[in-house]
């Protein structure tokens, strides 16, 4: 693994600092009029999402951390474990519900997701940007009840709730943005 000194930091670089995997969000070389120069850095802990600001001497060095991103197929969940299959090697891995969080609330079984791994351990799941799901439950929309931009709650086939326009009926397929959870269009 390559080592990088604090003087070589760049935005987006991932490093192992004090046993944590961190990504450099911002950095600034500071040369005070008196005293030694230093590097002020804003780091994001990739595993738990925390952000911290700290300073380093430009000569301090750190191990570069290699984050692997693999396309995998979401197979099924079994209580607290979610199972994924590597599309190239067909190896299966299990990820705890704690690590998955709510990233799969719009993802059906057998859909492709991106799994981020550090030292072969998965720590984050990225769903596709948009998904197409069937509305399984919603109130009927009434004609004439269409004030500008009016919405109603709907439950999709994964069990997640989405706000949809009044004209969307039960059984219809809709496209959803997985980052925001917003309705995009009918399919």
């Amino acid at each position: 693994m390559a080592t990088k000194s604090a003087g070589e930091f760049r935005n987006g670089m991932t490093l192992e600092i004090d046993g944590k995997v961190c990504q450099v969000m911002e950095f600034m070389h500071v040369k005070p009029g008196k005293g030694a120069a230093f590097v002020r850095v804003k780091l994001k802990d990739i595993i738990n999402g925390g952000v911290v600001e700290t300073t380093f001497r430009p000569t301090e060095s750190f191990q570069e951390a290699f984050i692997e991103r693999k396309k995998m197929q979401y197979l099924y969940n079994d209580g607290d474990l979610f199972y994924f299959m590597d599309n190239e090697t067909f190896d299966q891995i299990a990820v705890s519900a704690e690590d998955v969080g709510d990233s799969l609330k719009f993802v059906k079984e057998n859909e492709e997701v991106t799994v981020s791994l550090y030292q072969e351990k998965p720590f984050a799941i990225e769903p596709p940007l948009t998904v197409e799901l069937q509305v399984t439950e919603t109130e009927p929309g009434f004609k004439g009840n269409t004030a500008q931009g009016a919405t109603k709650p709907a439950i999709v086939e994964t069990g997640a709730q989405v706000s949809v326009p009044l004209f969307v009926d039960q059984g219809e397929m809709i496209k959803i943005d997985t980052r925001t959870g917003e309705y995009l269009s009918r399919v």
Side-chain angles (χ1 to χ4, degrees):
M1 286 237 192
T3 59
K4 294 284 183 188
S5 72
E8 298 173 304
F9 282 1
R10 297 288 169 257
N11 288 345
M13 190 179 273
T14 50
L15 305 158
E16 199 171 306
I17 299 173
D18 299 330
K20 294 182 178 153
V21 182
C22 298
Q23 184 172 29
V24 176
M25 295 174 69
E26 292 175 18
F27 71 98
M28 182 170 50
H29 294 277
V30 181
K31 295 179 184 124
K34 196 173 185 179
F38 60 91
V39 181
R40 182 175 290 134
V41 187
K42 190 184 239 183
L43 298 167
K44 178 178 184 181
D45 185 328
I46 291 182
I47 308 295
N48 69 20
V51 176
V52 67
E53 244 180 80
T54 188
T55 58
F56 299 110
R57 293 186 315 276
T59 54
E60 284 185 78
S61 60
F62 303 94
Q63 286 288 326
E64 221 173 335
F66 179 66
I67 305 297
E68 190 176 7
R69 293 165 54 97
K70 282 186 172 181
K71 291 276 187 202
M72 293 191 166
Q73 186 177 6
Y74 166 50
L75 297 174
Y76 62 94
N77 94 321
D78 168 14
D80 330 333
L81 293 176
F82 290 79
Y83 292 88
F84 298 88
M85 180 180 69
D86 188 321
N87 291 344
E88 291 166 19
T89 63
F90 304 108
D91 291 339
Q92 289 187 20
I93 61 165
V95 182
S96 72
E98 187 180 296
D99 290 338
V100 169
D102 65 353
S103 57
L104 291 179
K105 69 180 183 180
F106 297 117
V107 179
K108 292 189 291 190
E109 292 181 353
N110 300 321
E111 287 213 20
E112 196 172 89
V113 296
T114 303
V115 177
S116 296
L117 302 119
Y118 175 65
Q119 294 180 341
E120 300 296 318
K121 285 197 209 93
F123 65 88
I125 314 292
E126 277 177 54
L129 290 178
T130 62
V131 291
E132 295 175 3
L133 297 171
Q134 185 173 13
V135 175
T136 55
E137 199 180 303
T138 188
E139 313 263 317
F142 298 106
K143 227 180 179 82
N145 189 3
T146 53
Q148 188 65 32
T151 61
K152 61 183 179 179
I155 309 286
V156 292
E157 59 189 300
T158 59
Q161 185 171 329
V162 185
S163 289
V164 297
L166 295 175
F167 58 78
V168 174
D169 292 321
Q170 196 165 313
E172 286 191 78
M173 295 293 285
I174 59 171
K175 187 181 269 190
I176 299 169
D177 184 330
T178 58
R179 295 166 299 184
T180 60
E182 290 176 2
Y183 162 89
L184 294 173
S185 66
R186 281 198 278 195
V187 181

